[in-house]
Amino acid sequence: ESTGDQESNNRYNDLISTLPSQRWGPDGLDLHQYNGFWYPRITVEATMAVRDRFVARPTDVILVTFPKSGTTWLKALTFATVNRNRSLVLSMLSKMNPHECVPFMSKLYLDGRLSDNNSLPAPRLFAVHTPFFLLPESVLSSGCRIVYLCRDPKDNFVSLWHHFFVCAGVRGLAHFSFDEVFELFCSGVTMGGPIWEHALGYWRESLQRPERVMFMKYEEMKADTGGSLRRLSEFIGCPFLEEEEREGKVEEIVEMCSFERLSGLEVNKNGSIVFGRGEIKNKGFFRKGEVGDWKRHLSLEMAERLDRITEEKLRGSGLEF
Ligand code: A3P
């Protein structure tokens, strides 16, 4: 660790200790409010380090999602698309969880240092949950592509509840009720929240600079995965050629990354990966993969309340769920 890094790391820690915090998930998962958004301590620190030290290349592709909006799926689809002609690399998707194929930028930050990842072939793929205005400066100035994915807040909430509070694979069980976590979600206090401001930041940017930011919704991807994949591939500069279309390449990748196939792989049934300070069972990333599952979990009152907040927050923006 260089002296400069050490000084920055001390600065991050000093700053984090002044941030508002909120008990949220299982032990060690308290959230801290950094520039209006709630993240665990380790993520805030990594966000600052990445912002200070990450150097983007024009060919990079940055996948941005709200937690539990379909990150795993988007990682798989993008990884398969850019590596479709490298069979050895592509085979990683059958042996590894998509999170091991496309790293979170925050994972580059380990033991107080940011690894450079310079040896990765172009296009390098990285993922973040970071709000638009907190992305590293070079991501904005390099001209690289940003793909954003979000989801109906109702389904997003239900998915999040299961992942962080029900799924036993995540650092032990938390002592929060469904109603309490819902209440916090509505007030913006949730992993990466508030969800509305997160989406709006990328939505506005996608309208202003459509060549830089592509905005996607989980529901649209489910309704027409092939169409979404074609749009994605064009946006990141590797469109499917006529010949590939004839060969059914798009359908092949859609199938390769489908919920059924990925969730059925040995690595995703029984494997686990290191996340933050804990281990997460890969099966926790594959629950149902459906649109509208909120109907089985939210009361009508809760659904209406969340819809009302969403409507108020997004009013006038042109973004709807
Ligand atoms: P559900 O909990 O509603 O089933 P993330 O990847 O951001 O953590 O989001 C997880 C959500 O995406 C989960 O939603 C999960 O089931 C769903 N998912 C994972 N892989 C998927 C795939 N290949 N196709 C569609 N949905 C998928």
Side-chain angles (χ1 to χ4, degrees):
E1 203 172 310
S2 73
T3 324
D5 281 357
Q6 182 60 54
E7 275 169 18
S8 306
N9 298 343
N10 292 344
R11 185 162 47 81
Y12 304 153
N13 281 313
D14 288 348
L15 196 143
I16 292 170
S17 63
T18 68
L19 299 177
S21 67
Q22 165 76 46
R23 298 234 59 189
W24 187 68
D27 285 348
L29 248 185
D30 286 5
L31 300 179
H32 302 268
Q33 191 184 32
Y34 177 55
N35 281 282
F37 289 84
W38 295 90
Y39 293 99
R41 180 185 186 94
I42 191 168
T43 311
V44 177
E45 194 179 330
T47 302
M48 291 194 258
V50 165
R51 200 164 141 78
D52 285 348
R53 304 177 210 168
F54 180 79
V55 182
R57 296 188 197 155
T59 48
D60 288 346
V61 176
I62 316 291
L63 307 179
V64 191
T65 58
F66 195 78
K68 308 317 292 174
S69 66
T71 320
T72 317
W73 190 20
L74 182 64
K75 283 185 173 186
L77 286 169
T78 315
F79 184 84
T81 300
V82 306
N83 292 305
R84 63 187 186 265
N85 296 319
R86 301 175 182 143
S87 56
L88 213 64
V89 183
L90 194 59
S91 68
M92 282 168 66
L93 258 190
S94 305
K95 297 177 206 131
M96 297 162 108
N97 179 272
H99 291 288
E100 295 176 283
C101 300
V102 180
F104 277 110
M105 261 192 202
S106 56
K107 290 196 88 179
L108 304 180
Y109 181 68
L110 205 67
D111 300 328
R113 297 172 58 183
L114 195 77
S115 65
D116 60 22
N117 276 268
N118 279 335
S119 56
L120 288 177
R124 300 187 303 176
L125 305 179
F126 296 109
V128 291
H129 293 315
T130 313
F132 181 76
F133 71 98
L134 288 175
L135 288 176
E137 174 55 35
S138 67
V139 167
L140 309 178
S141 60
S142 65
C144 71
R145 304 279 187 281
I146 299 169
V147 179
Y148 185 74
L149 172 66
C150 61
R151 185 178 193 184
D152 179 332
K154 300 191 291 305
D155 277 336
N156 209 126
F157 169 73
V158 168
S159 185
L160 188 141
W161 160 257
H162 280 96
H163 184 84
F164 291 102
F165 295 86
V166 180
C167 174
V170 189
R171 289 166 261 196
L173 292 177
H175 303 286
F176 277 92
S177 70
F178 185 76
D179 288 11
E180 286 168 325
V181 181
F182 180 77
E183 205 52 52
L184 286 167
F185 186 88
C186 288
S187 63
V189 184
T190 184
M191 178 72 78
I195 188 170
W196 308 278
E197 281 77 0
H198 197 273
L200 277 174
Y202 286 94
W203 172 251
R204 294 198 177 110
E205 206 54 34
S206 75
L207 297 179
Q208 270 173 18
R209 291 197 276 175
E211 71 291 350
R212 295 290 313 283
V213 181
M214 174 173 162
F215 195 95
M216 302 176 84
K217 291 181 192 162
Y218 182 88
E219 293 75 22
E220 289 170 1
M221 276 172 60
K222 282 290 285 190
D224 179 13
T225 314
S228 300
L229 185 59
R230 283 187 187 92
R231 220 158 59 84
L232 172 72
S233 67
E234 278 164 27
F235 177 74
I236 61 178
C238 44
F240 290 94
L241 309 174
E242 251 175 59
E243 192 186 325
E244 291 181 306
E245 283 284 0
R246 270 199 306 276
E247 286 170 356
K249 206 68 185 172
V250 175
E251 290 72 21
E252 204 180 290
I253 292 179
V254 168
E255 159 58 23
M256 186 185 296
C257 301
S258 68
F259 180 88
E260 291 69 26
R261 177 166 179 281
L262 288 183
S263 61
L265 293 174
E266 176 60 24
V267 63
N268 292 327
K269 281 199 289 194
N270 297 313
S272 54
I273 50 175
V274 177
F275 242 70
R277 268 170 290 155
E279 242 192 25
I280 299 191
K281 292 195 171 119
N282 289 341
K283 65 169 184 247
F285 293 105
F286 305 93
R287 193 181 61 94
K288 278 197 173 164
E290 284 173 12
V291 171
D293 189 48
W294 61 264
K295 292 185 190 116
R296 289 193 203 91
H297 300 275
L298 296 181
S299 68
L300 199 60
E301 214 172 48
M302 284 170 144
E304 281 175 2
R305 171 148 172 238
L306 203 42
D307 277 344
R308 220 170 23 248
I309 300 175
T310 301
E311 211 186 291
E312 277 166 22
K313 295 266 194 180
L314 304 186
R315 190 172 295 147
S317 69
L319 175 59
E320 287 178 357
F321 285 101

Short mmCIF file of all heavy atoms in Angstrom, two decimals, residues 38 54 80 100 188 264 282:
data_model
loop_
_atom_site.label_atom_id
_atom_site.label_comp_id
_atom_site.label_asym_id
_atom_site.label_seq_id
_atom_site.Cartn_x
_atom_site.Cartn_y
_atom_site.Cartn_z
N TRP A 38 -27.81 4.91 0.28
CA TRP A 38 -27.47 4.03 1.41
C TRP A 38 -26.70 2.79 0.98
O TRP A 38 -27.18 2.01 0.16
CB TRP A 38 -28.76 3.61 2.12
CG TRP A 38 -29.47 4.76 2.76
CD1 TRP A 38 -30.42 5.56 2.19
CD2 TRP A 38 -29.29 5.24 4.10
NE1 TRP A 38 -30.83 6.51 3.08
CE2 TRP A 38 -30.16 6.34 4.27
CE3 TRP A 38 -28.47 4.86 5.18
CZ2 TRP A 38 -30.25 7.05 5.46
CZ3 TRP A 38 -28.55 5.57 6.36
CH2 TRP A 38 -29.43 6.65 6.50
N PHE A 54 -9.97 4.64 -10.32
CA PHE A 54 -10.26 3.81 -11.49
C PHE A 54 -10.06 4.61 -12.78
O PHE A 54 -10.53 5.73 -12.90
CB PHE A 54 -11.70 3.27 -11.44
CG PHE A 54 -12.07 2.42 -12.61
CD1 PHE A 54 -11.66 1.09 -12.69
CD2 PHE A 54 -12.81 2.94 -13.68
CE1 PHE A 54 -11.99 0.30 -13.78
CE2 PHE A 54 -13.14 2.16 -14.78
CZ PHE A 54 -12.73 0.83 -14.82
N ALA A 80 -21.82 -13.18 -22.39
CA ALA A 80 -21.99 -14.14 -23.49
C ALA A 80 -21.94 -13.43 -24.84
O ALA A 80 -21.37 -13.95 -25.80
CB ALA A 80 -23.33 -14.87 -23.32
N GLU A 100 -18.79 -13.99 -11.10
CA GLU A 100 -17.35 -14.26 -11.22
C GLU A 100 -16.86 -13.95 -12.63
O GLU A 100 -15.67 -13.78 -12.86
CB GLU A 100 -17.07 -15.72 -10.90
CG GLU A 100 -17.38 -16.08 -9.46
CD GLU A 100 -17.18 -17.56 -9.21
OE1 GLU A 100 -18.08 -18.34 -9.62
OE2 GLU A 100 -16.16 -17.93 -8.62
N GLY A 188 -36.67 5.17 1.37
CA GLY A 188 -35.41 5.26 0.62
C GLY A 188 -34.26 4.51 1.26
O GLY A 188 -33.19 4.38 0.68
N GLY A 264 -30.07 -24.02 -13.04
CA GLY A 264 -29.91 -25.47 -13.00
C GLY A 264 -28.45 -25.93 -13.00
O GLY A 264 -28.16 -27.11 -12.81
N ASN A 282 -24.68 -19.15 -4.25
CA ASN A 282 -25.08 -18.73 -5.60
C ASN A 282 -26.58 -18.90 -5.85
O ASN A 282 -27.17 -18.14 -6.62
CB ASN A 282 -24.30 -19.52 -6.66
CG ASN A 282 -22.84 -19.09 -6.69
OD1 ASN A 282 -22.50 -18.01 -6.21
ND2 ASN A 282 -21.98 -19.93 -7.24
#
